[in-house]
């Protein structure tokens, strides 16, 4: 459960659904298979690679296990994508190559970490899933898909802006001391919990809201 990050995995799967909902027609089977591919690639593969690079989650899974999970997750996702490219559109083949490259480069921090940035997170974990969801259902790329993907990039950028300091507080901060003085004389004692709380609540609200939005839009098109 720690490795899979269910709330965040569901959040990023929602981008796939949002992209699909923007397509002229939502094909139920295509959407389901695309979601399965992203569960494998992001939920399993990307998180396993992330844990392999320094074990930040402290799961104590062996490197061999993590490599196996990453290979299986990304491999299954790529296989689904290749079948989709053969049956539906050559666009999907391009997306498969880009997706595999993003997962590996970002999570293993290749090229000196140049791909492990806030921008690449927003593009890879926000815009890319939405773009795939749209292309798989529309059979090509058009402005509605681009605009929805751009919106998902913005939401992912907001997620990153909140999650980075929250993660730093939870994992790396030993102590935080200080006092916030308001103009009416009120004193608020600062602590790790006090500073992290609004960040965590905002992330929880965003994750739940995006999931509900995606479910509602897909249901409306079902």
């Amino acid at each position: 459960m720690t490795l899979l990050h269910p709330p965040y995995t569901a959040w990023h799967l929602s981008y796939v659904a949002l992209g699909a909902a923007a397509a002229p027609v939502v094909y139920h089977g295509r959407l389901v298979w695309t979601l399965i591919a992203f569960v494998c690639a992001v939920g399993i593969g990307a998180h396993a690679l992330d844990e392999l690079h320094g074990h930040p989650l402290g799961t104590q899974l062996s490197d061999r296990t993590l490599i196996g999970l990453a290979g299986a997750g990304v491999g299954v996702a790529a296989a689904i994508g290749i079948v989709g490219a053969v049956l539906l559109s050559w666009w999907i083949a391009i997306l498969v190559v880009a997706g595999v490259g993003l997962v590996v480069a970002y999570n293993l921090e290749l090229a000196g970490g140049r791909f492990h940035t806030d921008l690449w997170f927003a593009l890879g974990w926000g815009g890319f899933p939405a773009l795939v969801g749209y292309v798989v259902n529309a059979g090509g790329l058009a402005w509605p898909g681009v605009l929805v993907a751009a919106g998902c990039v913005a939401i992912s950028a907001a997620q990153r802006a909140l999650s980075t300091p929250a993660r730093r507080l939870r994992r790396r901060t030993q102590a935080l001391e200080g006092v916030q003085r308001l103009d009416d004389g009120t004193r608020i004692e600062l602590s790790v919990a006090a500073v992290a709380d609004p960040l965590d609540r905002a992330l929880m609200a965003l994750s739940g809201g995006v999931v509900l939005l995606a479910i509602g839009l897909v249901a409306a098109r079902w």
Side-chain angles (χ1 to χ4, degrees):
M1 294 297 289
T2 300
L3 184 69
L4 293 179
H5 286 313
Y8 277 17
T9 297
W11 188 340
H12 295 294
L13 290 176
S14 297
Y15 295 141
V16 176
L18 290 173
V25 179
V26 178
Y27 294 96
H28 305 161
R30 297 183 190 183
L31 176 56
V32 169
W33 279 109
T34 307
L35 290 172
I36 292 173
F38 271 88
V39 168
C40 294
V42 177
I44 299 174
H47 288 151
L49 288 174
D50 190 47
E51 179 69 355
L52 181 65
H53 189 77
H55 294 266
L57 299 176
T59 61
Q60 298 185 10
L61 293 171
S62 68
D63 287 354
R64 178 179 296 180
T65 299
L66 291 170
I67 291 171
L69 287 171
V74 175
V76 169
I80 293 172
I82 291 170
V83 172
V86 172
L87 296 177
L88 302 176
S89 171
W90 60 269
W91 273 98
I92 299 175
I94 297 175
L95 294 173
V96 169
V97 174
V100 172
L102 280 169
V103 167
V104 175
Y106 179 87
N107 288 283
L108 291 183
E109 300 185 27
L110 301 183
R114 289 182 177 87
F115 295 100
H116 197 85
T117 64
D118 293 351
L119 175 60
W120 280 105
F121 177 86
L123 291 172
W125 293 170
F128 182 74
L131 207 63
V132 172
Y134 181 85
V135 169
V136 167
N137 284 272
L141 192 58
W143 280 111
V146 173
L147 291 173
V148 170
C152 292
V153 168
I155 296 172
S156 284
Q159 174 189 351
R160 186 72 167 183
L162 293 167
S163 65
T164 297
R167 187 167 55 249
R168 186 186 303 120
L169 285 166
R170 288 193 299 267
R171 297 180 184 175
R172 300 177 57 191
T173 303
Q174 294 183 346
L176 189 154
E177 301 174 356
V179 177
Q180 180 181 4
R181 295 183 176 86
L182 305 185
D183 55 9
D184 63 357
T186 302
R187 291 166 53 91
I188 301 175
E189 298 292 334
L190 300 181
S191 65
V192 171
V195 176
D197 180 64
L199 300 175
D200 289 335
R201 285 190 288 112
L203 287 166
M204 289 176 62
L206 274 172
S207 64
V210 172
V211 170
L212 290 174
L213 179 63
I215 292 173
L217 288 174
V218 170
R221 301 294 312 283
W222 201 258

